[in-house]
Amino acid sequence: MLVSAKEMLEKAKAGHYAVGQFNINNLEWTKAVLQTAQELNSPVILGVSEGAGKYMTGFKTVAAMVAAMDGELGITVPVALHLDHGTYEGCYKCIKAGFTSIMFDGSHYPIEENIAKTKELVAVAHNMGMSIEAEVGSIGGEEDGVVGMGECADPDECKAVADLGVDMLAAGIGNIHGKYPENWAGLSFETLDKIQQKTGVMPLVLHGGTGIPEEMIKKAIDLGVSKINVNTECQLSFADATRKYIEAGKDTEGKGFDPRKLLAPGAEAISATVKEKMELFGSVGKA
Ligand code: 13P
């Protein structure tokens, strides 16, 4: 059931668990995430970066595919279709395309400009019944060519953006997209605690969910994180399983080259990763 992310995140915040955002790349990805959420009776957020949207030929294609798949698979758990790290223009495209949620990432603008653009988009999104995520303090690492250094957000700036009426807030706390380097200092719980105190009931978002140790995830949820984004880990699981299938020569046996067979182990691996994360985040049975 396609919905905005507002209610599922408010419930998660109140219930001290987090909803997973899993980024999608194609039909197999989307199907694996939706079926796993349904099987586990968990709410879920499908994340679409601008690059992934372009790869899938545009946001309209994505919105049409997700809406049709949601219906054809008989998905009854709450599903939000969410733009990940949207530009100002990208947000408007997704609003028109039929997404149910957007993220405006204005973290690279001076704070005044981030606030002005976020404020405008909050009004437009809410008018359409959509939820909106904002970002303060950039997330480290590289995603779709956008490189961030992973600074910690200023709690006062977080409060200023939260007060604009956004439904969820991504605040940098030393988190990084992609694999974490050996010398990573870990999440700054001190910053997270200050942000949570300033922003109150606002659901906080933890980007860069891949490779964060379990205890850190649990502590972040205790400190007010109610949405956790995972992308790279599903990609790694998919690649590993696909490599094993090919290295075992299975694509050369019988009809093993059939894409429905060739891509099946990768899709199963995505499902397993999504299941593991939903169990860790505590969203199982919360639909
Ligand atoms: P990872 O690729 O590190 O899991 O991060 C995903 C993310 O934050 C998407 O916005």
Side-chain angles (χ1 to χ4, degrees), residues 237-272:
S237 306
F238 177 85
D240 260 7
T242 308
R243 186 184 332 102
K244 283 195 185 114
Y245 179 87
I246 292 174
E247 281 179 355
K250 294 196 179 154
D251 58 318
T252 61
E253 292 165 11
K255 279 264 207 170
F257 55 84
D258 178 335
R260 280 172 272 169
K261 292 203 168 78
L262 182 67
L263 298 175
E268 277 161 28
I270 294 169
S271 297

Side-chain angles (χ1 to χ4, degrees), residues 21 23 84-85 103 139 143 176-180 206-211 229-233:
Q21 172 188 306
N23 285 47
D84 190 27
H85 292 283
M103 172 186 190
I139 314 294
E143 195 175 47
I176 298 174
H177 288 127
K179 289 181 183 172
Y180 283 84
L206 181 63
H207 282 248
T210 296
N229 293 5
V230 178
N231 183 15
T232 307
E233 206 157 323

